[in-house]
Structures are given as C-alpha cells and as structure tokens.
Amino acid sequence: MLSWALMFLVVALVAAVLGFGGIAGTAVSIAKFIFFVAIALFVISAIMHVVRGRSV
C-alpha cells in the first residue's frame, strides 16, 4: 500500500514539474490519503498483535 502512495507522489512531482497543477494537487491528496490509511492499518495490526499475544 505504501508503494501506491509513493507512486502517486512521483506522479504528483512529475505533473508539478510539467506544470499540471490540478493533476499534481489531486495526486498529492491521493498519496496523503493512501499513506494515512496504510499507517492506520499498521497501527491496528500492531495493536491486534499485542492483544492476541503469541500463539504457541
């Protein structure tokens, strides 16, 4: 999922360099959204791992 965020960030940077401001802004917004979703899923996963403990 973080690779998608990185891909949208690269698209945004290329679009910004080429002068496509609207596309660059949209791509940055999408990249931010995907990044925060990935972070939230990581935190939830870490909490679930701690709550469950180690299964033997």
Side-chain angles (χ1 to χ4, degrees):
M1 184 168 280
L2 287 176
S3 63
W4 281 67
L6 183 62
M7 180 185 68
F8 276 106
L9 182 62
V10 169
V11 168
L13 291 173
V14 170
V17 167
L18 295 176
F20 298 107
I23 295 171
T26 302
V28 167
S29 298
I30 293 170
K32 282 183 186 179
F33 176 74
I34 292 173
F35 176 75
F36 287 122
V37 167
I39 294 298
L41 290 174
F42 170 74
V43 169
I44 291 169
S45 175
I47 290 171
M48 291 303 293
H49 179 72
V50 169
V51 169
R52 282 186 174 171
R54 180 183 248 183
S55 59
V56 177

